[in-house]
Amino acid sequence: MKIFFVLTCKKNRDRLEAIKKAWVPKEDSSSFKIFYVYGNPDNFKEEVEGRNLTIPCVDSYQKLFLKTHGSFRFLSRTFPEADCIVKMDDDIYVDSFDALLKNIDKLLDNNVNYFGNAFCVTHERSEEERNVGMREWHFQKVASDLHIPYRGKFPYSFACGETYGLDMKTSKFISSFSDQEILKDSGFTRPFEDVSVALLAERMNNLKKGVLDANVHHPATVEEILSSI
């Protein structure tokens, strides 16, 4: 079984409803489950209502990694026998969910631990080049005190945030770190959840990466998503 979670929030309701109409299967099956993840700092623990999963954290872009990490932690604990956990954004369009499932199967059959729609390679860049690439694009989404270029650690390469997944072994591995342990590292003090997940995953020995052979379009507006139906 594959576990998918879509990071969303109340203000993105129209986008979530659009992907539900356009490509998200109406019901789960024996081969997959899908959850829509929200954050609520007033919660003392995770809550599940149908496909809605609420994580006890602030629901803001600048706390996105805590929300992502909390999702991996809860889902790996709840479905320990699943094959993998896949994170998705709520502004994407997938040409064929069935094809996506088959492509994930191929990667897992080849012992891939960490896969994504697209990878950003960072090891060949200088520190200056890396910072240019990730300097200000997120500023409009975060508070002014985070209007600082990212200068934390960089992974060897990382799967871009729109769609990526970890096999269950790797999901459990990154979930073993507490939020407190993670936030001690300056590399996790910026809201780059895809970079942060890669940094944790690369602490595993012999991590094998792979690219999804699937058409995932990102970013997509509500109009673009609905026009594809």
Side-chain angles (χ1 to χ4, degrees), residues 120-137 149-158 192:
C120 179
V121 178
T122 64
H123 68 285
E124 296 177 348
R125 303 181 188 180
S126 67
E127 288 298 318
E128 181 179 359
E129 289 172 332
R130 289 171 173 177
N131 283 320
V132 167
M134 301 180 71
R135 180 163 288 165
E136 298 180 356
W137 65 267
Y150 176 79
R151 296 191 182 279
K153 295 180 180 179
F154 278 83
Y156 186 83
S157 63
F158 64 93
F192 303 116

Side-chain angles (χ1 to χ4, degrees), residues 182-202:
I182 293 167
L183 292 174
K184 288 179 182 178
D185 189 323
S186 63
F188 297 96
T189 59
R190 295 289 175 265
F192 303 116
E193 44 86 18
D194 46 7
V195 171
S196 301
V197 166
L199 284 171
L200 286 181
E202 287 189 349

Side-chain angles (χ1 to χ4, degrees), residues 101-118:
L101 292 175
K102 291 177 182 178
N103 287 321
I104 292 173
D105 279 334
K106 289 180 183 178
L107 292 171
L108 296 177
D109 288 344
N110 285 301
N111 300 313
V112 170
N113 312 107
Y114 174 37
F115 53 85
N117 182 54

Side-chain angles (χ1 to χ4, degrees), residues 45-170:
K45 62 179 183 179
E46 299 86 355
E47 292 183 358
V48 177
E49 183 177 351
R51 281 185 167 178
N52 294 331
L53 167 61
T54 302
I55 300 294
C57 70
V58 175
D59 209 2
S60 69
Y61 184 79
Q62 62 198 63
K63 300 294 183 181
L64 192 57
F65 176 62
L66 295 181
K67 185 176 175 181
T68 304
H69 188 251
S71 300
F72 274 104
R73 181 189 296 130
F74 174 75
L75 294 170
S76 63
R77 185 174 69 233
T78 307
F79 303 100
E81 302 303 318
D83 300 316
C84 64
I85 300 178
V86 181
K87 177 264 174 181
M88 308 181 94
D89 282 345
D90 62 4
D91 61 347
I92 63 175
Y93 179 75
V94 179
D95 283 348
S96 169
F97 190 76
D98 286 340
L100 178 63
L101 292 175
K102 291 177 182 178
N103 287 321
I104 292 173
D105 279 334
K106 289 180 183 178
L107 292 171
L108 296 177
D109 288 344
N110 285 301
N111 300 313
V112 170
N113 312 107
Y114 174 37
F115 53 85
N117 182 54
F119 272 84
C120 179
V121 178
T122 64
H123 68 285
E124 296 177 348
R125 303 181 188 180
S126 67
E127 288 298 318
E128 181 179 359
E129 289 172 332
R130 289 171 173 177
N131 283 320
V132 167
M134 301 180 71
R135 180 163 288 165
E136 298 180 356
W137 65 267
H138 65 294
F139 283 8
Q140 63 181 336
K141 300 181 181 180
V142 300
S144 57
D145 62 336
L146 284 179
H147 286 194
I148 304 168
Y150 176 79
R151 296 191 182 279
K153 295 180 180 179
F154 278 83
Y156 186 83
S157 63
F158 64 93
C160 300
E162 61 264 23
T163 302
Y164 62 81
L166 304 174
D167 69 355
M168 186 50 67
K169 179 177 70 174
T170 312

